[in-house]
């Protein structure tokens, strides 16, 4: 940003003009202040917008301060004023970077255009180059003698005559929405893949279109890889995740917007996880309370890939390979498990790309937002702190009514009650957080030669006593019940879950009934 636009703060709080020696400094925006403060003048508000653009471009307060020629403290105060102006935090910290909120993303394009236009005006570049560009393209138009092969490696930019961001934007605009899918996806890759300061996240509709092209199998494999890595490396935004989830939902056979379940419970586990699926016992407990629970997920590939299916069968929970089968099974059992590979095979294949990257991708986030049976409420678990509020923001864009997101060692809602847990809630479109209290952990009893599966199943049947595991199941069920309820605090629902656990078989001996579709078991 030119100094003539942003200014550079001197030690006295004034702004250097960059003119000849002896010139009086321009007075600060506010008297008796070391740094500018918000004011009612349009000039002061313009400065706040330029500051917001700098943080959006750089992704760092320190780098934004360098860009504007200010101290970090001054830049932080400007950012605070912008937050106050819009009544929104605008950025949340994720590690060493700042992740824009949905509100900031909505402002990004407009403030970037404002800053770019200001730069152009100050540089004297006020001519419209569209006509000149068109004439230049026409005069040099000739088909190449040898077409570059699809996988050819060519430099994206030349060191000389490098296109400006404005020129690149105009070229991308020439790709019409009705262009072939690969060309449309290429446009989106160019939007998210440019260098820092010239790229931007996709809007919700753009993300839906881009991911839809991938799910339809119309993208080049190179484009699929680039899309997944670029979005994940930069950091997904709520509109991007929501758009990708919409694209995935629309391609699930049998899925509809109708409410066919009460609670959606995604469970996407690492194949390296050795923990038993205690959350599945909690889901069965919630079903015994009369709620329809749809658990869907995957456990990776390899020898441990069918862990969730095995656990479901051990409890008599129907394993359904389609939405239609799940709807039929819910009428009898009130809890079902849908393997991802059954109802969304293309997503399952994309999730299976992990070994090629040795890293997660945006698919790991999208699958949590699928809600294949259109449940009115959801419980999610997110291992990474930044994704907890991100999932909630994306769910809000998807018109989710009731949602709870917790921090978990695995990407599934399983509440460990032996430490305080922050629950990120969404109720009737309103966001808020609640805190659960910690319980004292009872001692872990020996398994007496039982396998992990036998031990886990024995606790549900009442053949094995393990208070520490029972607390996990009860706490997780309480979280789900509170999410479904219109009112009541967490402690109230924990006591309800304890009663459900004690009376889960009504005083009768537990019997696991097998289930098969097409008959009443």
């Amino acid at each position: 940003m030119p100094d003539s636009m942003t200014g550079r703060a001197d030690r006295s709080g004034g702004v250097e003009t960059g003119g000849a020696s002896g010139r009086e400094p321009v007075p600060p925006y506010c008297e008796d202040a070391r740094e500018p403060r918000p004011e009612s003048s349009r000039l002061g508000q313009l400065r706040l917008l330029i500051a917001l653009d700098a943080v959006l471009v750089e992704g760092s307060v320190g780098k934004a301060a360098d860009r504007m020629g200010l101290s970090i403290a001054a830049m932080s105060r400007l950012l605070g004023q912008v937050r106050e102006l819009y009544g929104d935090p605008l950025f949340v910290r994720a590690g060493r970077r700042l992740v824009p909120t949905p509100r900031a993303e909505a402002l990004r394009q407009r403030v970037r255009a404002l800053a770019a236009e200001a730069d152009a005006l100050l540089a004297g570049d006020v001519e419209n180059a569209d006509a000149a560009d068109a004439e230049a393209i026409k005069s040099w138009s000739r088909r190449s003698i040898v077409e570059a092969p699809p996988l050819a490696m060519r430099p994206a930019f030349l060191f000389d005559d490098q296109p400006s961001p404005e020129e690149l934007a105009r070229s991308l605009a020439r790709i019409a929405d009705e262009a072939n899918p690969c060309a449309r996806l290429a446009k989106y890759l160019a939007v998210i893949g440019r260098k820092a300061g010239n790229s931007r996240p996709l809007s919700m509709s753009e993300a839906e279109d881009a991911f839809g092209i991938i799910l339809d199998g119309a993208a080049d494999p190179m484009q699929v890889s680039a899309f997944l890595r670029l979005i994940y490396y930069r950091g997904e935004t709520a509109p991007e995740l929501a758009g990708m989830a919409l694209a995935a939902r629309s391609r699930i056979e049998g899925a509809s917007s109708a409410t066919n379940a009460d609670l959606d419970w995604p469970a996407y586990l690492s194949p390296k996880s050795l923990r038993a699926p205690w959350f599945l016992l909690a889901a069965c407990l919630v079903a015994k309370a009369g709620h329809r629970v749809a658990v869907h997920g995957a456990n990776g590939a390899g020898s441990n890939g069918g862990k969730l299916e095995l656990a479901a069968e051990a409890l008599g929970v129907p394993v359904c390979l389609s939405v239609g089968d799940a709807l039929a099974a819910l009428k009898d059992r009130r809890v079902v498990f849908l393997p991802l590979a059954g109802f969304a095979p293309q997503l399952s294949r994309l999730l299976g790309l992990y070994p090629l990257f040795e890293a997660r991708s945006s698919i790991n986030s999208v699958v949590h937002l699928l809600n294949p049976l259109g449940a009115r409420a959801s419980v999610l678990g997110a291992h990474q702190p930044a994704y907890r509020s991100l999932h909630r923001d994306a769910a809000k864009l998807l018109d989710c009514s009731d949602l709870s997101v917790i921090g978990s060692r695995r990407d599934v809602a399983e509440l460990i009650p032996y430490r305080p847990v922050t629950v990120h809630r969404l109720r009737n479109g309103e966001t808020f957080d609640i805190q659960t209290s910690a319980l004292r952990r009872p001692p872990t009893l020996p398994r007496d030669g039982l396998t992990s599966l036998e031990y886990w199943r024995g606790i549900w049947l009442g053949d094995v006593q393990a208070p520490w595991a029972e607390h996990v199941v009860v706490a997780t069920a309480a979280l789900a019940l509170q999410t479904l309820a219109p009112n009541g605090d967490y402690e109230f629902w924990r006591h309800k879950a304890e009663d459900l656990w004690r009376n889960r078989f009504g005083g009768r001996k537990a019997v696991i009934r097998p289930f098969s579709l097409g008959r009443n078991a």
Side-chain angles (χ1 to χ4, degrees):
M1 183 67 60
D3 285 344
S4 56
M5 181 64 197
T6 62
R8 185 176 299 275
D10 66 9
R11 296 180 180 177
S12 66
V15 180
E16 297 177 359
T17 61
S21 176
R23 178 179 295 180
E24 291 295 329
V26 177
Y29 287 114
C30 299
E31 295 180 359
D32 301 324
R34 300 184 63 183
E35 301 294 348
R37 297 199 302 266
E39 57 182 53
S40 59
S41 72
R42 297 176 65 118
L43 181 60
Q45 292 173 343
L46 176 62
R47 183 180 177 88
L48 296 183
L49 295 178
I50 298 299
L52 174 59
D53 172 70
V55 181
L56 284 168
V57 168
E58 299 293 348
S60 161
V61 172
K63 292 180 179 179
D66 290 340
R67 183 184 184 92
M68 292 192 65
L70 297 173
S71 67
I72 294 179
M75 193 67 213
S76 297
R77 279 191 284 273
L78 286 174
L79 181 56
Q81 294 163 16
V82 182
R83 285 168 164 161
E84 183 178 353
L85 176 66
Y86 286 106
D88 187 88
L90 297 178
F91 298 92
V92 293
R93 184 164 294 282
R96 295 184 177 181
R97 61 191 179 90
L98 293 177
V99 177
T101 65
R103 176 65 166 160
E105 291 297 350
L107 295 169
R108 181 191 290 268
Q109 296 184 54
R110 298 180 68 182
V111 296
R112 180 85 286 268
L114 171 67
E117 182 65 14
D119 281 339
L121 288 171
L122 291 170
D125 180 16
V126 296
E127 296 182 359
N128 188 338
D130 283 341
D133 287 350
E135 185 60 31
I137 293 172
K138 180 179 179 181
S139 62
W140 289 96
S141 178
R142 189 185 188 282
R143 188 174 183 85
S144 174
I145 298 176
V146 179
E147 296 289 342
L151 299 182
M153 301 300 293
R154 294 176 293 177
F157 296 106
L158 299 176
F159 289 107
D160 295 327
D161 300 324
Q162 177 174 323
S164 68
E166 291 77 14
E167 292 169 339
L168 185 55
R170 285 195 296 270
S171 67
L172 293 176
R174 297 186 185 106
I175 302 177
D177 291 339
E178 63 272 10
N180 70 77
C182 281
R184 290 209 318 275
L185 186 54
K187 178 179 70 171
Y188 299 134
L189 290 174
V191 168
I192 62 177
R194 295 180 231 162
K195 63 182 181 179
N198 294 322
S199 65
R200 64 165 176 84
L202 297 177
S203 67
M204 191 167 167
S205 60
E206 289 174 333
E208 181 179 4
D209 186 36
F211 197 52
I213 292 170
I214 292 174
L215 293 177
D216 291 338
D220 184 272
M222 292 284 285
Q223 291 179 308
V224 177
S225 175
F227 181 83
L228 295 179
R229 296 315 304 153
L230 282 171
I231 283 190
Y232 184 76
Y233 179 77
R234 191 209 63 234
E236 305 98 325
T237 65
E240 287 173 331
L241 285 184
M244 293 171 69
L246 281 177
R249 286 181 181 182
S250 66
R251 287 159 177 80
I252 295 175
E253 184 177 355
S256 70
S257 57
T259 302
N260 297 306
D262 299 314
L263 185 66
D264 182 66
W265 203 318
Y268 292 86
L269 313 181
S270 166
K272 299 177 183 178
S273 175
L274 301 178
R275 287 176 56 85
W278 304 110
F279 64 90
L280 195 56
L281 301 185
C284 290
L285 203 60
V286 174
K288 284 187 173 291
H291 301 290
R292 299 168 299 170
V293 183
V295 182
H296 58 93
N299 200 64
S303 59
N304 205 29
K307 180 178 181 178
L308 292 178
E309 288 88 334
L310 177 63
E313 291 169 352
L315 297 178
V317 173
V319 177
C320 305
L321 300 183
S322 70
V323 171
D325 287 348
L327 294 177
L330 270 182
K331 297 177 181 178
D332 183 68
R333 291 299 174 85
R334 289 192 173 275
V335 57
V336 297
F337 174 68
L338 295 90
L340 181 69
F343 71 92
Q346 192 75 322
L347 276 176
S348 181
R349 296 186 189 101
L350 291 172
L351 199 62
L353 294 176
Y354 179 94
L356 299 181
F357 302 137
E358 198 58 37
R360 295 164 58 92
S361 74
S362 300
I363 307 301
N364 293 83
S365 297
V366 172
V367 289
H368 287 81
L369 301 169
L370 292 178
N371 194 4
L373 297 191
R376 65 178 179 85
S378 297
V379 285
L380 310 182
H383 177 66
Q384 300 182 28
Y387 281 83
R388 295 162 196 170
S389 58
L390 180 64
H391 279 133
R392 180 174 63 181
D393 292 339
K396 186 175 180 180
L397 291 173
L398 292 168
D399 297 325
C400 177
S401 175
D402 298 283
L403 174 81
S404 291
V405 185
I406 64 169
S408 175
R409 293 179 182 176
R410 305 179 291 177
D411 284 342
V412 63
E414 185 176 275
L415 198 154
I416 307 300
Y418 307 118
R419 59 178 182 270
V421 175
T422 299
V423 183
H424 302 264
R425 290 297 311 279
L426 178 65
R427 178 183 290 169
N428 296 326
E430 298 295 327
T431 59
F432 59 95
D433 296 341
I434 62 174
Q435 190 86 13
T436 66
S437 57
L439 301 178
R440 177 174 295 181
R441 180 179 178 125
T444 302
L445 302 178
R447 294 184 178 178
D448 296 329
L450 297 175
T451 66
S452 177
L453 174 60
E454 292 169 339
Y455 182 75
W456 171 81
R457 187 172 183 267
I459 290 173
W460 173 252
L461 296 177
D463 298 333
V464 176
Q465 300 300 312
W468 72 270
E470 293 174 10
H471 287 171
V472 173
V473 176
V474 167
T476 304
L479 171 71
L481 291 170
Q482 185 188 23
T483 305
L484 286 163
N487 49 46
D489 61 15
Y490 174 76
E491 287 302 315
F492 172 84
W493 289 108
R494 186 168 67 82
H495 290 306
K496 288 289 185 182
E498 288 175 348
D499 292 339
L500 284 170
W501 178 258
R502 285 191 294 266
N503 302 294
R504 62 192 183 279
F505 298 117
R508 297 177 284 103
K509 182 175 176 59
V511 177
I512 299 295
R513 294 185 299 149
F515 184 93
S516 63
L517 293 169
R519 68 177 180 85
N520 292 324

